[in-house]
């Protein structure tokens, strides 16, 4: 029951769990193991070997982010936790944004054993980009139309002042107004 609940949560959150094994002397090829959700997120078949899964994952990292991901792996190997976000090319869905995080399992001594998660955050990134575009549009709109906005604000302010003065004059309150301004007050702009 509990495993089924955890699996459903991971699937709905688009999270896969992985293990990467790197040899200490780098003689052996790196290996990547993943749970069912991880393999679905990568788009790999169950028939892939752990070495092929690792190559498949690394080769699809956006070229501009390869060194960024490699630095995170080095941080993990040195015993620190790390989390990175990068574009990754899915074989069927195209480019997607991934968040990966992990740690070094120090109980495992045969090789460096990194354990972590792989999450598809494409929807989050696209929503953030969409929000950014809306804000940018609003700023551009206000900057391009600032003169109109100021004019509307000023005219409303003038109308408010005229209304207050008319109200006072209607009740015969004594107000000192120059004759010229008295004429403007009763004009309709």
């Amino acid at each position: 029951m509990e495993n089924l609940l955890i699996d459903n949560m991971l699937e709905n959150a688009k999270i896969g769990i992985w293990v990467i094994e790197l040899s200490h002397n780098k003689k052996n090829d790196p290996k990547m193991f993943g749970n069912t959700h991880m393999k679905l997120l990568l788009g790999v078949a169950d028939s892939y070997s752990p070495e092929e899964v690792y190559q498949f994952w690394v080769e699809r990292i956006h070229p501009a982010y390869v060194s960024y991901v490699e630095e995170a792996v080095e941080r993990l190997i040195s015993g620190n936790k790390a989390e990175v976000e990068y574009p990754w090319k899915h074989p069927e869905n195209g480019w997607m944004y991934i968040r990966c995080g992990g740690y070094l399992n120090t109980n495992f001594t045969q090789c460096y054993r990194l354990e972590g998660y792989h999450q598809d955050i494409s929807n989050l990134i696209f929503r953030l980009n969409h929000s950014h575009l809306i804000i940018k549009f609003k700023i551009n709109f206000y900057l391009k139309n600032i003169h109109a906005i100021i004019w509307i604000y000023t005219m409303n302010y003038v109308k408010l002042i005229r209304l207050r003065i008319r109200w006072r004059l209607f009740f015969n309150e004594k107000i000192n107004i120059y004759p010229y301004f008295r004429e403007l007050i009763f004009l309709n702009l």
Side-chain angles (χ1 to χ4, degrees), residues 79-116:
N80 296 309
K81 293 180 182 174
E83 187 175 81
V84 291
E85 294 175 0
Y86 56 91
W88 188 82
K89 190 167 188 176
H90 190 276
E92 296 168 9
N93 302 333
W95 288 107
M96 53 198 295
Y97 289 89
I98 300 300
R99 177 183 292 142
C100 274
Y103 66 96
L104 175 67
N105 183 340
T106 54
N107 296 328
F108 201 80
T109 57
Q110 293 85 351
C111 63
Y112 297 115
R113 184 179 173 105
L114 310 176
E115 300 173 353

Side-chain angles (χ1 to χ4, degrees), residues 5-16 37 41 96-99 117-124:
L5 178 65
I6 291 171
D7 280 347
N8 286 337
M9 288 171 41
L10 292 173
E11 182 179 1
N12 288 323
K14 297 182 180 181
I15 297 174
H37 303 301
L41 286 170
M96 53 198 295
Y97 289 89
I98 300 300
R99 177 183 292 142
Y117 71 94
H118 177 96
Q119 182 180 19
D120 177 4
I121 58 167
S122 301
N123 289 339
L124 173 66

